[in-house]
């Protein structure tokens, strides 16, 4: 394949297989070896979790940037453009740079396609390799890696000794690849634990915390657990943006106001501040608290409880799986009890969409419209939610409007300025809506 333009580079990446039958890191290690092992020589913070890991990465990145550090970050999926997945100090990789690094890795990919019986690298393995190569050519103080799926066999897990790791949440998602029980999923995520490397854990279910604690013990790894070693408490809620008190490690009752909305961000903030403290402590440094406060006010993370219009309030939130929808439902219950909330939702067909809709429909002030969207590619389609809405008990009739743009236009004309429009479901759907509203 000839790769001469940015579009060629994206096509090369996206035409690769997404998964292989047998999970392994051997192919990724071989791939990186052929590229000169660009992953070596960086200092890493490694973050996994079912939900919330993107927000944790965004807050941790901003805190460390405000301390004067140069921070690389690798996240997924993207909301606006592919480039945002690979960033330095929040600035996405330039189109020309992406083209250059795709041209660098493509010959190795094609050689491995011929050599390996199961074929060469997957799409995500190529994304990961491009990121490692790009960061290797820059002078960075730290790289924050967000795991794609799971942890144990995720292509980011080729790093050998991060400074600190984190498991943000454990819930039911990607069961086809990670296992059918919470303990199985936790074991996959605990695969990022490394010998002697401290780990921060969020508010995990008891079964998964037990698994993580056991794996950590086997690796002589200190665990900093939310609610035990650090905690956050809500102290003010005049707006949808929480104000909280954090205590943990060297800090006691520090007050922060968040720029990311939703009560579930309290735990995410606690994890981010703890990660930043542990990273700085590894260098014998303390966090500048004024810089932390400023960082948490400046953090942006598109498509996660993102307020895009004031009157009426229009919010985009990629609650793309059951745990995410449960967290969103709790936020609606706590923050919008005095409002009528009109929800426009589209979900991928491989998610637990009946249970997700059931969560939303349980609230008496929620009016649901289900819709469809294109889906990221041919193999992953939008669910036909219209086929299940009659089976879901709800306080108000659930509407079905197949064309999401028509559905959005209809909602926009029927709400008052005191109402809330909440657009949720797949992050790919949120990306489509965001392009329409903000471009």
């Amino acid at each position: 394949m000839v790769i001469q333009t940015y579009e060629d580079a994206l096509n090369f990446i996206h035409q690769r297989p997404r998964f292989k039958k047998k999970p392994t890191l051997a192919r990724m290690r071989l791939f990186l070896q052929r590229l000169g092992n660009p992953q070596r020589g960086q200092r890493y913070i490694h973050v996994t979790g079912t939900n919330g890991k993107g927000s944790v990465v965004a807050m941790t990145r901003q805190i460390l940037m405000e301390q004067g550090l140069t921070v690389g970050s690798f996240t997924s999926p993207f909301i606006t453009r592919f480039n945002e997945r690979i960033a330095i100090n929040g600035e996405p990789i330039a189109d020309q740079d992406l083209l250059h690094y795709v041209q660098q890795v493509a010959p190795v990919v094609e050689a491995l396609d011929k050599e390996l019986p199961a074929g060469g690298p997957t799409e995500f393995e190529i994304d990961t390799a491009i990121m490692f190569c790009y960061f290797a050519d820059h002078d960075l103080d730290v790289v924050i890696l967000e795991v794609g799926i799971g942890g144990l066999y995720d292509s980011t897990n080729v790093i050998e000794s991060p400074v600190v790791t984190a498991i943000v949440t454990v819930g039911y998602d990607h069961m086809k690849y990670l296992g059918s029980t919470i303990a199985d999923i936790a074991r996959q995520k605990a695969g990022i634990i490394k010998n002697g490397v401290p780990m921060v854990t969020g508010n995990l279910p008891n079964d998964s915390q037990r698994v993580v604690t056991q794996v950590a013990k086997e690796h002589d790894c200190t665990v900093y657990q939310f609610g035990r070693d650090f905690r956050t408490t809500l102290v003010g809620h005049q707006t949808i943006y929480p104000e909280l008190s954090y205590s943990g490690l060297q800090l006691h009752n520090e007050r922060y106001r968040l720029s990311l909305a939703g009560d579930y961000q309290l735990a995410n903030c606690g994890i981010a501040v703890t990660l930043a403290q542990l990273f700085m402590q590894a260098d014998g440094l303390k966090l500048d608290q004024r810089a932390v406060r400023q960082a948490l006010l400046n953090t942006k993370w598109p498509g996660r409880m993102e307020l895009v219009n004031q009157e009426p309030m229009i919010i985009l939130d990629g609650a793309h799986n059951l745990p995410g929808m449960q967290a969103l439902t709790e936020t609606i219950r706590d923050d919008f009890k005095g409002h009528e909330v009109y929800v426009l939702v589209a979900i991928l067909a491989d998610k637990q969409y009946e249970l997700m809709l059931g969560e939303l429909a349980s609230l008496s002030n929620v009016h649901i419209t289900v819709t469809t969207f294109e889906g990221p590619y041919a193999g992953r389609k939008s669910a036909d939610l219209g086929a299940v809405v009659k089976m879901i008990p709800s306080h108000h009739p659930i509407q079905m409007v197949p064309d999401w743009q028509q559905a959005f236009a209809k909602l926009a004309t029927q709400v008052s300025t005191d109402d809330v429009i909440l657009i949720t479901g797949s992050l790919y759907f949120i990306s489509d809506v965001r392009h329409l509203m903000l471009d």
Side-chain angles (χ1 to χ4, degrees), residues 271-335:
I271 295 165
V273 174
T274 305
L275 282 173
Q277 282 191 84
L278 289 168
F279 183 83
M280 296 292 281
Q281 277 179 23
D283 286 346
L285 302 171
K286 279 191 175 181
L287 284 177
D288 176 343
Q289 280 309 297
R290 285 173 299 179
V292 175
R293 289 190 190 92
Q294 196 58 46
L296 294 172
L297 280 172
N298 290 344
T299 304
K300 292 179 173 57
W301 197 232
R304 280 73 166 186
M305 284 301 290
E306 182 182 13
L307 184 66
V308 293
N309 195 71
Q310 287 281 359
E311 289 188 358
M313 199 180 285
I314 301 176
I315 295 169
L316 309 180
D317 188 59
H320 60 102
N321 54 26
L322 181 58
M325 196 62 81
Q326 289 167 334
L328 175 60
T329 301
E330 192 174 326
T331 296
I332 296 171
R333 188 182 291 116
D334 292 345
D335 296 354

Side-chain angles (χ1 to χ4, degrees), residues 318-360:
H320 60 102
N321 54 26
L322 181 58
M325 196 62 81
Q326 289 167 334
L328 175 60
T329 301
E330 192 174 326
T331 296
I332 296 171
R333 188 182 291 116
D334 292 345
D335 296 354
F336 302 118
K337 51 188 171 223
H339 301 267
E340 295 301 303
V341 181
Y342 291 81
V343 179
L344 179 62
V345 58
I347 304 169
L348 286 171
D350 58 3
K351 301 293 181 178
Q352 298 170 291
Y353 49 84
E354 290 181 54
L355 294 174
M356 293 167 71
L357 287 176
E359 291 287 333
L360 285 172

Side-chain angles (χ1 to χ4, degrees), residues 129-357:
I130 291 165
M131 172 270 298
F132 282 135
C133 290
Y134 177 61
F135 289 158
D137 289 341
H138 291 79
D139 186 15
L140 306 178
D141 295 304
V142 58
V143 172
I144 310 176
L145 293 182
E146 179 188 333
V147 164
I149 292 177
L152 181 61
Y153 294 111
D154 189 79
S155 60
T156 61
N157 204 30
V158 293
I159 60 170
E160 288 167 2
S161 190
V163 177
V164 59
T165 64
I167 300 177
V168 179
T169 54
V170 176
Y172 289 106
D173 199 15
H174 300 297
M175 285 96 81
K176 180 178 175 184
Y177 305 103
L178 304 181
S180 57
T181 70
I182 283 289
D184 288 341
I185 295 168
R187 202 164 284 108
Q188 288 288 324
K189 296 188 187 304
I192 70 167
I193 292 174
K194 302 291 187 296
N195 289 337
V197 174
M199 159 158 278
V200 180
T201 62
N203 190 15
L204 307 186
N206 289 337
D207 285 357
S208 56
Q209 187 67 59
R210 274 194 292 272
V211 169
V212 170
T213 301
Q214 180 58 41
V215 175
K217 192 175 176 183
E218 291 164 7
H219 288 79
D220 194 24
C221 158
T222 304
V223 176
Y224 295 85
Q225 187 177 328
F226 179 79
R228 185 191 70 187
D229 304 297
F230 66 97
R231 56 184 50 81
T232 54
T233 310
L234 188 67
V235 294
H237 220 309
Q238 292 77 34
T239 70
I240 63 171
Y241 302 105
E243 187 176 346
L244 60 92
S245 171
Y246 168 91
S247 293
L249 281 72
Q250 309 302 313
L251 303 177
H252 185 65
N253 287 340
E254 292 289 344
R255 300 262 300 242
Y256 307 123
R257 163 127 6 230
L258 301 186
S259 60
L260 300 181
D263 289 352
Y264 56 84
Q265 295 294 4
L266 267 70
N268 293 339
C269 172
I271 295 165
V273 174
T274 305
L275 282 173
Q277 282 191 84
L278 289 168
F279 183 83
M280 296 292 281
Q281 277 179 23
D283 286 346
L285 302 171
K286 279 191 175 181
L287 284 177
D288 176 343
Q289 280 309 297
R290 285 173 299 179
V292 175
R293 289 190 190 92
Q294 196 58 46
L296 294 172
L297 280 172
N298 290 344
T299 304
K300 292 179 173 57
W301 197 232
R304 280 73 166 186
M305 284 301 290
E306 182 182 13
L307 184 66
V308 293
N309 195 71
Q310 287 281 359
E311 289 188 358
M313 199 180 285
I314 301 176
I315 295 169
L316 309 180
D317 188 59
H320 60 102
N321 54 26
L322 181 58
M325 196 62 81
Q326 289 167 334
L328 175 60
T329 301
E330 192 174 326
T331 296
I332 296 171
R333 188 182 291 116
D334 292 345
D335 296 354
F336 302 118
K337 51 188 171 223
H339 301 267
E340 295 301 303
V341 181
Y342 291 81
V343 179
L344 179 62
V345 58
I347 304 169
L348 286 171
D350 58 3
K351 301 293 181 178
Q352 298 170 291
Y353 49 84
E354 290 181 54
L355 294 174
M356 293 167 71
L357 287 176

Side-chain angles (χ1 to χ4, degrees), residues 1 6-18 77-78 81-83 85 98 102 122-124 126-127 130 376-378 428:
M1 180 178 179
Y6 171 75
E7 288 71 26
D8 292 342
L10 287 185
N11 288 336
F12 174 80
I13 293 167
H14 294 320
Q15 54 89 26
R16 298 296 302 180
R18 293 189 73 243
F78 63 91
R81 300 183 78 224
F82 176 90
N83 304 45
R85 298 179 65 172
L98 185 68
V102 169
T122 64
E123 179 179 349
F124 191 71
I126 291 169
D127 298 342
I130 291 165
Y377 47 85
Y428 297 102

Side-chain angles (χ1 to χ4, degrees), residues 77-92:
F78 63 91
I79 291 293
T80 309
R81 300 183 78 224
F82 176 90
N83 304 45
E84 72 199 46
R85 298 179 65 172
I86 302 168
I88 295 177
N89 282 356
E91 190 64 37

